[in-house]
Amino acid sequence: MTDCYCKSGRAFEECCGPYLAGTAAAPTAEALMRSRYSAFATADVDYLENSLLPETRGDFSRADTEQWAKGSEWTGLEVRSTTDGGTGDSEGFVEFVAHFTMQGKPHVHHETGRFARRDDRWYYVDGIMGPRPRVAPKIGRNDPCPCGSGKKYKKCHGAAA
């Protein structure tokens, strides 16, 4: 048995193998992301295309994808965080770092991928480079300090900024 390319610690045949073979569907956004990494590692361009949300496939380049997959040695995957993307969710985000070597030089691809579930199947939608931006309301100088002191932000924690 071969270790899975996605570095899950499981055998490929028990991890991403069934998804790439089409005998099972990835149950979560993270499982789909891991299987897409394994598809890059094995240059399974069909799986990479078919796991894209259908309406986003218009700019998919089979030739470029195959060149990147075959021209790289895929050396590791780190899953940094997963937000939603479970069996009961319709959307999920997975932050990951894919390590690969191309033309003898090490590279990293750090992305937060967005995934959508349609008809009980997960698809890759798109991604942004790096971690997903934190969405938090901006605190105004004259707003109450969120620490609960009762002071204005500028006279409390805002004074240190």
Side-chain angles (χ1 to χ4, degrees):
M1 288 225 234
T2 306
D3 289 341
C4 194
Y5 301 94
C6 79
K7 307 299 183 193
S8 66
R10 298 169 45 207
F12 176 71
E13 296 79 13
E14 298 168 357
C15 189
C16 295
Y19 310 142
L20 272 64
T23 58
T28 64
E30 182 178 331
L32 180 65
M33 186 280 307
R34 287 179 172 280
S35 68
R36 285 179 54 83
Y37 178 87
S38 291
F40 273 106
T42 59
D44 189 337
V45 179
D46 289 335
Y47 184 81
L48 291 167
E49 183 174 15
N50 292 331
S51 61
L52 289 172
L53 190 65
E55 55 265 31
T56 66
R57 294 179 190 166
D59 63 352
F60 179 76
S61 170
R62 291 183 64 82
D64 290 347
T65 302
E66 185 172 17
Q67 182 180 5
W68 186 25
K70 287 184 174 179
S72 302
E73 178 186 350
W74 299 88
T75 56
L77 175 68
E78 301 170 49
V79 175
R80 297 241 173 122
S81 68
T82 300
T83 305
D84 300 325
T87 56
D89 296 319
S90 60
E91 186 175 62
F93 296 88
V94 181
E95 180 189 353
F96 64 94
V97 178
H99 298 267
F100 62 99
T101 302
M102 184 180 269
Q103 297 176 343
K105 295 180 184 172
H107 296 275
V108 295
H109 177 86
H110 184 182
E111 177 181 325
T112 298
R114 181 168 60 117
F115 298 83
R117 190 168 64 122
R118 302 264 174 86
D119 300 321
D120 291 325
R121 183 172 170 194
W122 282 101
Y123 293 95
Y124 174 78
V125 180
D126 58 17
I128 59 168
M129 297 308 290
R132 184 175 175 204
R134 195 178 80 124
V135 179
K138 183 173 165 88
I139 302 167
R141 292 176 31 83
N142 290 315
D143 291 340
C145 191
C147 76
S149 68
K151 297 178 183 177
K152 288 184 178 183
Y153 178 70
K154 68 182 178 185
K155 295 286 186 180
C156 192
H157 284 87

